């Protein structure tokens, strides 16, 4: 039995999956605006908002509990500590009951008004409808530049292409959610997992606005780490590069050795050559360290995987307890 089968009630149509870390100011506004949108769908099967409290240290959890008391369609998992957004999303997918699941950020940078359009595409037969940011005006120039560069690098190195400028805001059919749930890896770069899953995919465009409530939880270092996670989990090209680079350098070395041997036979030997020797030593020393580093990245990930620890730990559930069949 999976977590999502805790109740025998009919599935709601939509589950909004909302990871939150220290977002006390954003919860009430989010619930209000998303409720408006979801109610306007006038869908008899209903909907649920599923918060994943990712180890918040402020009053996020009380805010969620208040929202749940006001409307039992708001539910939540509270994790035992901060596991990161990707793990929080995985937790959400594990307990989502909806016919479709829609991960969304709580800061309303991605307009929930697009949900109606997403559902329309889903009814047309698409199983994944990802939101694409029409402009990135709300991001700073360096962020836009690095994001651009990252998508290119990722898609160049990896066979599973991730759509450019698509965030985690997307509609996922139940079938897709089931596939993601069967993926056992600890290292969860969700965009990569979604891409691997395949299925019929399409997109809707929207304008992304600036964050008005709370502050961003991602700095450049976190984004860089996420980027490395993404590439190493989706591609082995960085590992293979060294075989080709090593082979090319060895070939050049052999040619050069032949040239030196012939020259010595013809012209005799000279002692000069300290600078070129030094350059060669430093260059190859550096190259070897880099290749070792890349190896280390992968070995480190293997270590994390073989430990087989859970991806997240749940401390409390809100709006999910009660006898089977009961909702609240
Ligand atoms: N978030 C999370 N765990 C973390 C960091 C962020 O659940 O460790 C949530 C955060 O509360 C928000 C979403 O992930 O709902 C996106 O975060 P944010 O808006 O700070 O990212 P940005 O839009 O700046 O990339
Ligand atoms: Mg944001």
């Amino acid at each position: 039995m999976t977590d999502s089968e805790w109740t025998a009630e009919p599935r709601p149509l939509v589950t909004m999956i909302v990871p939150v870390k220290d977002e006390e100011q954003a919860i009430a506004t989010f619930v209000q605006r998303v409720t408006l949108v979801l109610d306007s769908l006038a869908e008899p099967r209903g909907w649920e908002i599923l918060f994943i409290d990712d180890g918040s240290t402020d009053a996020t959890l009380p805010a969620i509990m208040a929202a749940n008391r006001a409307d039992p369609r708001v539910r939540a998992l509270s994790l035992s500590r901060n596991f990161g957004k990707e793990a929080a999303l995985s937790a959400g997918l594990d307990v989502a009951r909806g016919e479709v699941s829609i991960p969304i950020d709580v800061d309303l940078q991605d307009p929930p008004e697009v949900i109606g359009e997403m559902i329309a595409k889903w009814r047309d037969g698409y199983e994944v409808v990802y939101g694409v940011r029409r402009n990135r005006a709300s991001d700073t120039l360096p962020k836009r530049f690095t994001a651009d560069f990252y998508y290119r690098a990722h898609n160049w190195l990896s066979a599973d292409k991730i759509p450019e400028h698509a965030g985690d805001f997307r509609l996922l059919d139940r079938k897709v959610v089931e596939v993601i749930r069967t993926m056992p890896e600890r290292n969860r770069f969700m965009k990569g997992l979604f891409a691997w899953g395949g299925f019929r995919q399409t997109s809707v465009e929207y304008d992304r606005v600036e964050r008005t409530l709370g502050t961003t939880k991602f700095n450049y270092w976190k984004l860089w780490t996420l980027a490395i996670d993404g590439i190493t989990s989706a591609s082995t090209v960085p590992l293979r590069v060294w075989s080709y680079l090593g082979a090319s350098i060895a070939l050049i070395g052999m040619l050069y050795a032949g040239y030196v041997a012939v020259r010595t036979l013809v012209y005799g030997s000279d002692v000069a050559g300290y600078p070129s020797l030094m350059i060669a030593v430093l260059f190859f020393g550096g190259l070897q360290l880099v290749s070792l580093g890349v190896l280390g990245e992968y070995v480190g990930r293997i270590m994390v995987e073989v430990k087989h620890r859970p991806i997240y730990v749940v401390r409390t559930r809100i709006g999910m307890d009660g006898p089977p069949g009961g909702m609240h």
Side-chain angles (χ1 to χ4, degrees), residues 14-29:
V14 185
T15 300
M16 303 298 298
I17 299 178
V18 200
V20 284
K21 161 87 168 66
D22 295 339
E23 305 277 9
E24 56 184 10
Q25 302 124 303
I27 302 286
T29 322

Side-chain angles (χ1 to χ4, degrees), residues 23 85 105-110 143 208-211 215-218:
E23 305 277 9
K85 186 183 171 187
D105 292 353
V106 75
D107 55 18
L108 294 172
Q109 283 189 280
D110 309 307
K143 173 125 188 217
R208 197 164 202 249
V209 296
E210 257 168 71
R211 204 191 227 272
T215 53
T216 177
K217 308 293 178 296
F218 285 91

Side-chain angles (χ1 to χ4, degrees), residues 105-160:
D105 292 353
V106 75
D107 55 18
L108 294 172
Q109 283 189 280
D110 309 307
E113 288 71 23
V114 181
I115 293 168
E117 220 178 306
M118 287 179 162
I119 291 177
K121 296 247 181 183
W122 172 69
R123 291 200 199 285
D124 286 346
Y126 290 101
E127 284 125 345
V128 178
V129 186
Y130 51 86
V132 175
R133 298 157 200 174
R134 197 177 289 132
N135 61 27
R136 273 194 169 249
S138 62
D139 287 333
T140 59
L141 206 64
K143 173 125 188 217
R144 259 183 281 170
F145 179 77
T146 46
D148 228 41
F149 176 77
Y150 175 68
Y151 284 114
R152 268 186 216 156
H154 185 108
N155 288 340
W156 184 60
L157 291 172
S158 162
D160 323 313

